[in-house]
Amino acid sequence: MNGAKVFTLELSVRDYECDLQGIVNNAVYLNYFEHTRHQFLKCLGIDFSVLHEEGTDPVVRRIEIDYMRSLRSGESFISSLSITKKGRLQYVFTQELKTVPDNAIAAKAKSGVVFVSQGRPIPPPTALAEAVDRWQCS
Amino acid sequence: MNGAKVFTLELSVRDYECDLQGIVNNAVYLNYFEHTRHQFLKCLGIDFSVLHEEGTDPVVRRIEIDYMRSLRSGESFISSLSITKKGRLQYVFTQELKTVPDNAIAAKAKSGVVFVSQGRPIPPPTALAEAVDRWQCS
Amino acid sequence: MNGAKVFTLELSVRDYECDLQGIVNNAVYLNYFEHTRHQFLKCLGIDFSVLHEEGTDPVVRRIEIDYMRSLRSGESFISSLSITKKGRLQYVFTQELKTVPDNAIAAKAKSGVVFVSQGRPIPPPTALAEAVDRWQCS
Amino acid sequence: MNGAKVFTLELSVRDYECDLQGIVNNAVYLNYFEHTRHQFLKCLGIDFSVLHEEGTDPVVRRIEIDYMRSLRSGESFISSLSITKKGRLQYVFTQELKTVPDNAIAAKAKSGVVFVSQGRPIPPPTALAEAVDRWQCS
């Protein structure tokens, strides 16, 4: 994430997130990634559930995840993201989970998010786009 | 999935899998993909939980998902996979979810799975590798 | 469930539903119970997500669960329910999960469901109440 | 929870925990209750996953939940518990979720937990029982 502004959040594994292998199930990482994006939006003053009530839904269009080191019961990690625009319609979040305190990369992801209203893709809402721009330049 | 042998499973959306947007949450697709892989293994005579008890854990190393059309409450879909070997250590599953009866692709994925024993990557267990080969040639 | 009419559904454990103890996590049983109630409603011609869109939300008011025998990877079970009215506003579902083929009770529950519209409790929608009555007498 | 010693934890709703009704799904409350019990054990120096590795599994035997007010996206709440012994084999946790800052009870639960080793119920491990006693008297 060289040069890009980074938002971070500290999280911990909860035991119910581990599966019978004793490691966090692969699907749960997407919960971590989504929760981090939503907390980022919240920090910009944008509320995911209010967006939905207003008729605009951010939806994941594509996600790529590299699982580097399995997270386990009791572990804490820093979830970070940076954001770039891709074309007119998509934001791409570059996301990473790094264990605390040893700073090992547990997983990396690229998450492409588009906005949908009444079943059709629309450009990001203006208030959100402006808040993202302001955040990146601050 | 031209030319490759395909395993399929019919599934339906369960309401608790939908989030506040009224669509299946992006993380749940990984549950569908994993469940399909495990049912495939089961159909080959390989039991995921027995593998774990014997000390071998298949783990997802990388997954890429394209979300094409959101799945919703009440929808049924066919989850399919084909499998190829990548290098000496990895299987790559090409996976797809197609709605029933309209046959629209809801999501596509490539899931790279490796095997881990005592914290180290190992080649796929022989019984599993042989069962995969037999299945592909049958 | 003596004397009461019973709705049943066959389900199987999915591996991601098991936690690090190798058994289905206690919270997942509520997914099973809810899914069974929703499939029951569907069988009566009532769609949970349509109810929500029409402004009426069935919500769980109280649930009691006895966990008798832990469900594990690979197990199938019959999920059953019967329904009774409690007062003017509540339905109580008596629910049970029995393993197949050995017919052991894995869990029992009583789930009290009320209906909410615009934040206030309302009597069950007439179409639903009539469908329940018809089903019980058929 | 008059007179009993209380352990508390502050948590927030994550958006993926909400279902298509826009409220936290009823099953997720059991995740909150479990996570609170495990953080309590951790605070006593007892690690749930280590217990499992040593061959002792605390399992929920019975849980009763009263859902008083639905939790929603963005809400924070205090999750609290007190603990009492029931018979020789069971701990009963009295649990509560109260919204912040308005202090409304969102849900109350009684969770009965027993200990299982090699498929059989056993008394609570001595180290755990002593830690619970010390905590209650401190």
Side-chain angles (χ1 to χ4, degrees), chain D residues 100 103 110:
Chain D
V100 173
N103 216 28
K110 284 208 184 291

Side-chain angles (χ1 to χ4, degrees), chain A residues 59-115:
Chain A
V59 295
V60 175
R61 176 64 189 75
R62 177 178 166 81
I63 190 165
E64 313 175 6
I65 307 126
D66 284 290
Y67 299 88
M68 323 288 279
R69 178 162 110 30
S70 299
L71 289 167
R72 291 179 176 274
S73 171
E75 289 197 302
S76 293
F77 55 93
I78 301 290
S79 177
S80 64
L81 65 77
S82 63
I83 181 171
T84 53
K85 195 80 183 286
K86 183 180 171 188
R88 206 171 57 86
L89 298 178
Q90 194 168 163
Y91 281 115
V92 175
F93 293 88
T94 300
Q95 305 194 247
E96 220 170 65
L97 310 180
K98 273 189 184 172
T99 56
V100 173
D102 55 320
N103 216 28
I105 300 178
K108 295 192 297 186
K110 284 206 183 294
S111 318
V113 172
V114 295
F115 295 83

Side-chain angles (χ1 to χ4, degrees), chain C residues 10-11 14 29 37-38 40 43 47 56 63 69 72 79-80 95 97 101-102 107 114 120 131 136 138:
Chain C
E10 183 162 353
L11 294 170
R14 298 179 180 179
Y29 289 72
R37 293 193 305 271
H38 291 202
F40 165 69
C43 147
D47 184 307
T56 300
I63 190 165
R69 176 161 109 33
R72 292 180 174 273
S79 177
S80 65
Q95 306 195 244
L97 310 180
D102 55 320
V114 295
R120 293 178 166 281
Q136 272 175 328
S138 67

